[in-house]
Each structure stands twice: as structure tokens, then as C-alpha cells.
Amino acid sequence: MENGGTGKTLSIICSALQWVLDQRQKQKSEERVASDEKQENIGQIGSDDEPDWIKNFVVNKDNQMDDKKSKKKKYGFASAKPAKRNNKDSSKDLFSCDPGEACFNKKKECKKTVKKNDADELGGEEFLLEEYESEEEGEVGSSNSKRKASTFSVSSSSDEEGESEEEEEEVKLKVFFCSRTHSQLSQFIKELRKTVFANEMNIVSLGSRKNFCINEEVLRLGNSTRINERCLELQKSKKKEISKIKNLGAEGRIRQTKASSGCPMLRKHKLQRQFRSEISQQGALDIEDLVQLGRNIGTCPYYGSRSMITPADLVVLPYQSLLSKSSCEALGLNLKNNVVIIDEAHNLADSLISMYDAKITLPQLEKVHSHIEKYFGRFHSLLGSGNRRYIQTLLVLTRAFLRVLVDDKDVNCLNTCPDAQTGVGEKHRFDSSMAINDFLFSLNIDNINLMKVLQYIKESNIMHKVSGYGDKMTTLQKGSAVKENGESCDDGSTLSGFRALADMLLSLTNNDGDGRIIISRKRPTCSRQGAYLKYVMLTGEKIFSEIVHEAHAVVLAGGTLQPIEETRERLFPWLPSNQLHFFSCSHIVPPESILPLAVSCGPSGRSFDFSYNLRSSSTMIEELGLLLCNLATVVPEGIVVFLSSFEYEGQVYDAWKTSGILERLMKKKYVFREPRKNTKVEVILKEYKEAIDNPAPRSGAILLAVVGGKISEGINFSDGMGRCIVMVGLPYPSPSDIELLERVKHIEGLGDSSTMKSLKLLSCEEYNGGDIQAAFNILRSCTRRGKEYYENLCMKAVNQSIGRAIRHINDYAAILLVDIRYASDSSKRSFSHPSSKLPQWIKDRLVSATNNYGEVHKLLHHFFKLNKNRGCK
């Protein structure tokens, strides 16, 4: 479904929730009929000559089942029961083995004590790994293959509250609604409150730890990765405490004492229950509401909201939580037979595959390798054979990765590989791409079983042991690795580097054709900050098919979904055409409320051409400034100007400042700039709105924004905030981006191996040219889907940006497409005409040919005068 500002999201969610209610009503009716039939059967049983105890048994069993169901419905949760896993472990401890096995265990304990004493003398007993049996000694999954302690998981468990109880999941029909950003989800909740469903159904919003956390000590870390790590460490310290309590039991008895959580916001379980109760009573709450509620009660809103997933009817969550398999599993989301709605789905394919990218930088690799080496050097004599073998394997892998990023010798090795391709452009001369198998063979690590290594990392707890030991040694050497405000002095923790390594190793287990390895040796002089290894996922078909096969229905919604064929080919080419339904509606605003204009020349008569080679010329930037000076006199209230990148926006702003154009602009309107940091966007928007609401002595404000930035993706400029949207040029992504070229090549070759082969040969020849023009030649050589994809990237970005205006039926705005290539008679076109990819409601009203700027000015004057009078009436 597509078209922006039409109320599509609210229409879809109301329809979906009503369907859920109807289905439940239908289910209740069926259960009632089944119950009546059962009662009839019981009546028939009563008339037979069966003993009374059999009749009573059947009736009592049915009553018990009904009681269970009523409890679930009353409290929203399934009735709690003791964890089976805990009971099993307890019985193992209480009634263990024969005398021979006891003797064996005693010897092992004795051996372990000796090792720990030795480690203690070396000053690191808590960092010593417990014995690990490799797959050679026992098959993975068997009782012999695990290490001698509980298994380790990187992600937090679903039962984070520390209670020795787990909930029996209730099978309940749900709707999962996801969007790209937290701000879009908050907007959605505000709209949902206007409906009857806000009070009729259980609604829960999910988000990241960074957005939800109220522990000031953790929040001070600032960085999302560090906040996640610290939160998980606090949960882990709680679990260790529980484990110690269990093991302290003497003479076969276990002390069943509850341990307090590592985080103060999770210590009181009754506060979590109060939090859940408040959510149920207050209806639809967004992330800000939940955070405030958590602060008021004094309990964690992140885990509080997670615990509401089971009883919820509607789960509102960001893309990452639903589309990333690891996040979905960590949250315990069950999509089976439920409805999934994905809003803002215009770039769904790229967003989905980017979640499965993996990247490790040179500084991260160096730090992880150094810490593993130090750890192995210190504990080598105390580690068992299994641990030694796998740690040496990890050292081989990190050494190989480092060699490819640092040693010049390996550049020649890679260039001789038939499938290795060097990036284009002078600053990208250190970049190359390879297939997975070629990468493994070139580094001579193809004989390593990466699945076993990953299994070891998961089960052995080596990440935390090595990271903890390394950080402790660094702290001792530096005196203190933490500033007063709690932030680490390092660029990133060892743990995050280790996780990046594990992600990269996991990526290397994908099928050879699913993605490419990018090797970037690009770095500033005397610095290695720019070097990295990255796995780029290219196909989302398999990933998305799991979601489609699980869910009852998947709805993709967006204002710029066209062309849907590209999305279909990339995400669900296997789906029969009769199972894909496309619906598009026209915009709700009348024709006189919108004025789209293709502006091909400026006030001085110079043609606007913002193509790559000409956009930086001083005359082009000056002409754009003169255009805005004129617009500031005719456009009331707010003007939003979209430029292709932050770099270009900075270049334009500095040029206007030097030439005096900025000063002229600021005499008529206030000028604001989109900040690079997303956290500062809200502040700028607030100031921009205040300048429009109280403009005196000026006539409003101008906001310089960036295509692809936060403002272009999720902010609505209704009414005075967006009376005029100025789109400068056609924001084609840089063709020198090697990742983009890999995606283009992959899409061009979908379903056609011969095309892929010829493109690959051409690419090799062109890349060696080292000129950005070579990249354009590769793009022009694409005749099918690759070329279409590149054009769509540009026009979807345009449509997203200009769609920020006109947000309700009484709104009105002018949309200026500033570039000669938008004009109907333009001959400066390498690709298809841009106007053909505009939304229908804009295309139908586009004035695509104007003789001069005077004509544009006249049309704008008439448009705003007409709508001002219309508003007064």
C-alpha cells in the first residue's frame, strides 16, 4: 500500500485490529459450540452403565481446563509454574551418580582447585576458563560436548528478572507493527490513541536499551553498544550470584534463596508487576510515556515492556527488533499465524540485508588479537587441551585478518585472485571485494571449521574472560581507563571488538553467493582508523521468506513503494502472483493545495545542473542562493531545502557565508541547519518551529536539510513548517561506493548468470582504471534491474523528502524540483526521466516547463495568495 499523508497507517492498523477482534469472536463461538457438544456427550456417558468415578474424572478434567483458560484471560498471563530446567538440574544435584562417578568428580574438583590456586598466584583466578571438550571428544548437542558449566549466550535471556519461574506462553493472535525509527513509532501511538482500540486492546511499545534505560550510571556511557554491554553484564552478575547460592548447599541440600539483581532497577519484582499493571490500565503508551512511568515507579521500563509481549494484542517495535533474527529470538517474539505490518517499507530490502552485514575495524582486530595473545601467554599452562586448541585457532584467524589489512604483500595476493575487484576513485584505491570462498582460500583459512569455532565462543565464555582480563591489565597499566564521567578512554571496548569478530566469523559461514567481503585499506596518513573488513549481505530472499512463512499475513506500507516489482524480485520472487495484492490510493488534498514546479533556471538566467561534475561550481551554488533569496520574499512561513549530503550542505553554507548571500537570507528569514548527530535534531526542530510561530521581525525560517538524514525520513512538516519544499538536484548515491556497486551487480544478475558473468568481467577492467567515471560506465553497462535499482534509490529519496509536506486535508505547499533534468524537454539525461518515478498525485499536477524564473515567481505568488484567501474563508 502506498501514498503519504493519506492516513494509510491508521487505516491499516484499524482494519488489522478489527480483524483480530472478529477472529477472536469467531473462535469463542466455535469453542462454545464445541463445549455444548461435549456437554451432550457427557450427558450420554451419564446414561450408560459406567462407574461414577469415570464420569466424575471426565467432568473434573474439563473443569480444570476451563479454570486454566479463565486464569489466562483474567490476568493476561499464563499461570506460572516452576522452571522444568531448574527442577531437572536440582534433581541431578540431589540424587547424583554412583560411587565411581563421585570419585571421578572428586578428582576433577581436586584438579580444578590446583589450577585455580596456580591462577590465583598469577593474579587472575576469576578469568580462568573452565575445561572445554571439543567436538572431537563429543558431538555438539550431546551431554559430553558442553563445557563443565552452564552454557553462555551473548544475548540476554527472556527471563531476566531472576525468578525461578517461567511463563507458559499463551497462544494469542497478535499484530506486530514496526517502523524505521523511534520517533515514527511515537507518532503512530499518538494517532492510535484517537481510536477505540487504544482502550479495548493490550498495546506495548518496544525499543532499544538506550531509549528505555533509566539507570543513570549506565546511561552515562552514552554509546548504544556500551549501554547494551553494561546492561547484560549486570544481568550476568545476577545470574552468577544465583549460581553461587545453588552450589553452596551442603550435604546434598540446595539453599533456595532469591538473589538480588545486578541492576538496582530490577531488584524489586513487585515494582515490575506494578509497572505491568499500570501499562494494562493506561492503554496505548509510547516510549517516552513508558520511560516516565518507569522513573515514577522506580523500575526498568525496558524489561517491564518486554514482559508484556505475551499478553499484548498489538506489539509496536522498530525494524531491527522484528527483522533481525537474533533480536527477534532474544525478545521471544512468536510470529506464527500472527499479522505483521511493516510501515515505511520503501527501502525494506536494503534495510533488511544491512542488518546482516558484519564489520570489524583494524583497531578492533588489533585489540582483540593482543588481548587473546596476552591471555594465552598468561594462562597457557593452566588451560585444558580443548581451550588451548580453540584459542590458537582464534589467533590464527585474527592474525590472518590483520595481515590482509596491514601487509602490502597481501595486496598482490588479492589482486591475482580472479574474483578480487579493486574499488574506484582515488581515495578508494585501497578497497577491494571478494567472494567468501576466495577470501578464505587467499588467507589459507579455508580448512578451519568456523561453525566449531563459533560454538566454542558461544559455550566457553571466552569473550568475557579474555575481555575482562585484558581490560583489567590495561587499567593497571594506565592507572585508570575510565574518565570521571564514566566513559571509557578507548575507542571501543574489547568485548564489542570480540562481538564484531564473532559476527564476521558467522558471516563467513553464509553461502558463497549470498554476499561479498569488502577489504578496505583506505586510511589517513599515519593512521589506521579507516581500515576494516566488512561482509555485505546481498540477498534478503531467504531471510524474508522465514517471516512470510511464519506469519498469517505480511502488510508492507509506505508512501513511495513503487516500483513494487523491484521489492518483489529481491524479497519474495517465489511468491505466486495471486498471493501478492497491491493497493494504491490518491492523495486526500485537492489539486489547488499543491504546486509542484520543475525549476530549470535561476533568477540570473543560469541553468541549474547539480550533476556530480558541476554541482560544486561557485556559479551553481551562487545561483541557488539567489533563488532562495527570491523565494524568501514570496513564500510565507517555512522553507525546507534538501541537499544531497552533509558534505555538500557544508560546502554550500560556507560559500553563501563568504559571498554575503547568507546575510541577505537572514534579513528575511531565520536559517537553521540539520545537525549530523540525531540527538540534536529535536532541539533544532523546536527552534525552527518557534521561529515560524513567532517570526517577527522576519517572515519565517529556512531549514537546510540532507536527503537520507533523519529529517528527510521521519519528520512531518505540516502547515507553516513546510509551505515550500526545495529539492536541489537528483541525489544519486555516489557510484564510487564499492558496496553500492556490489549490490547493483547482484541485482542486475538476478535470475541471469550470463549477465552476471559479463558484468563481472567488465567490472574488473573498469575498476583498474581508478576513475570515478569508470563507476558511471559500469552503471551505464547495466541494462536491466541494476540500472533500475540505482535510479530507484535516487527517486525514492526524492519522494521521501518532498513527502514531508502536505500532512492533512487542509494543508497546502509548493514543491520545487531544482534541476534542468526535471524539466520535460531536458536532453541532459543518462537514465529514465525523473518525473516518471514521482508519486502519481505529484506527477499529475507537475508544471514541468517554465521559460524563466519570473514565471516560477508569478505562479508561487498566485498559489500562496489563493490558499491564504481560501484559509480565511
Side-chain angles (χ1 to χ4, degrees), residues 553-572:
V554 177
V555 180
L556 307 183
T560 49
L561 281 182
Q562 289 278 35
I564 197 67
E565 187 59 22
E566 180 208 307
T567 304
R568 189 194 71 78
E569 286 181 341
R570 293 184 67 193
L571 290 182
F572 34 88

Side-chain angles (χ1 to χ4, degrees), residues 9-66:
T9 304
L10 208 54
S11 303
I12 291 169
I13 201 64
C14 287
S15 304
L17 293 177
Q18 186 57 54
W19 180 83
V20 167
L21 290 176
D22 292 345
Q23 289 298 110
R24 286 191 188 155
Q25 195 61 45
K26 185 180 173 184
Q27 194 176 348
K28 280 180 185 174
S29 301
E30 288 171 356
E31 284 176 3
R32 202 178 295 118
V33 170
S35 179
D36 292 343
E37 288 175 359
K38 196 180 284 183
Q39 289 297 328
E40 286 176 21
N41 292 337
I42 290 167
Q44 289 169 9
I45 289 168
S47 62
D48 291 336
D49 296 329
E50 287 180 346
D52 291 340
W53 66 270
I54 291 181
K55 297 175 198 171
N56 292 338
F57 175 77
V58 173
V59 174
N60 289 339
K61 192 175 180 183
D62 290 336
N63 290 340
Q64 284 171 15
M65 291 298 289
D66 291 340

Side-chain angles (χ1 to χ4, degrees), residues 362-402:
L362 181 56
Q364 283 179 318
L365 260 176
E366 287 175 330
K367 184 182 281 187
V368 171
H369 180 77
S370 169
H371 283 346
I372 295 174
E373 265 191 334
K374 286 175 184 173
Y375 181 89
F376 192 57
R378 176 56 65 92
F379 296 105
H380 177 269
S381 59
L382 304 174
L383 294 168
S385 59
N387 280 314
R388 283 203 302 270
R389 189 183 307 113
Y390 279 106
I391 290 173
Q392 284 171 323
T393 304
L394 284 169
L395 286 170
V396 168
L397 289 166
T398 52
R399 203 174 288 122
F401 293 163
L402 282 168

Side-chain angles (χ1 to χ4, degrees), residues 623-799:
E623 194 70 16
L624 178 63
L626 293 174
L627 171 68
L628 280 177
C629 288
N630 279 271
L631 291 178
T633 62
V634 71
V635 177
E637 301 173 293
I639 301 174
V640 184
V641 182
F642 284 103
L643 296 142
S644 57
S645 66
F646 279 107
E647 288 74 20
Y648 188 58
E649 185 273 341
Q651 190 181 344
V652 168
Y653 187 86
D654 291 343
W656 288 350
K657 196 174 182 180
T658 305
S659 65
I661 286 175
L662 186 63
E663 191 180 346
R664 283 177 61 185
L665 278 174
M666 293 180 80
K667 285 178 182 177
K668 296 168 186 173
K669 290 184 186 285
Y670 298 96
V671 177
F672 298 92
R673 303 171 71 188
E674 178 176 1
R676 284 177 181 263
K677 286 189 176 179
N678 285 345
T679 50
K680 294 182 179 177
V681 169
E682 293 298 329
V683 177
I684 295 296
L685 288 175
K686 190 179 179 184
E687 292 174 3
Y688 173 67
K689 190 176 188 308
E690 284 173 2
I692 288 163
D693 293 340
N694 305 292
R698 298 174 180 85
S699 64
I702 295 171
L703 176 61
L704 302 178
V706 173
V707 175
K710 188 173 181 181
I711 286 174
S712 72
E713 286 291 333
I715 308 299
N716 294 336
F717 292 98
S718 57
D719 302 316
M721 286 185 76
R723 285 293 176 226
C724 181
I725 304 292
V726 180
M727 170 53 63
V728 179
L730 284 157
Y732 286 105
S734 171
S736 62
D737 182 356
I738 193 168
E739 291 179 34
L740 172 65
L741 286 176
E742 289 298 340
R743 284 201 299 273
V744 169
K745 287 190 303 168
H746 174 77
I747 292 163
E748 175 72 8
L750 282 176
D752 189 347
S753 57
S754 59
T755 304
M756 196 65 193
K757 273 182 187 175
S758 61
L759 191 63
K760 196 177 284 183
L761 289 170
L762 176 63
S763 300
C764 285
E765 292 166 13
E766 297 286 1
Y767 277 155
N768 292 332
D771 181 12
I772 196 167
Q773 196 58 45
F776 282 116
N777 291 339
I778 292 169
L779 290 169
R780 291 189 185 102
S781 71
C782 296
T783 57
R784 304 168 65 250
R785 301 181 182 94
K787 183 180 176 183
E788 182 83 2
Y789 168 70
Y790 186 67
E791 290 177 24
N792 291 342
L793 279 178
C794 170
M795 290 312 297
K796 281 183 180 181
V798 169
N799 294 339

